[in-house]
Amino acid sequence: PPRSTLFPYTTLFRSVISNGGEIKNVSSKLDYLVCNDPDRKSTKMQKSIEIGVKIINEKKFMTMLSK
């Protein structure tokens, strides 16, 4: 899979966990899919769109954590 262009994956994972979140597979229980390339047509992206999971980029994710 393509790597983050802004942050290493480990930084993103640690940020999720340290703020009480979980790393999950795409399902209706998922709140957000963090994707740096909104035009990417990966299986995860397609499934997220189909089931209505909100897709955000890394910058938005880090902004949400800073609030």
Side-chain angles (χ1 to χ4, degrees), residues 31-50:
D31 294 316
Y32 300 98
L33 175 69
V34 179
C35 180
N36 203 42
D37 180 4
D39 296 323
R40 187 156 185 252
K41 300 300 178 201
S42 70
T43 303
K44 286 182 183 181
M45 176 75 85
Q46 291 173 358
K47 185 172 181 181
S48 296
I49 292 167
E50 288 171 13

Side-chain angles (χ1 to χ4, degrees), residues 3 6 9 11 18 25 27 33 40 49 54 62:
R3 295 290 175 210
L6 300 177
Y9 277 171
T11 300
S18 67
N25 291 325
S27 74
L33 175 69
R40 187 156 185 252
I49 292 167
K54 185 168 181 161
M62 295 307 276

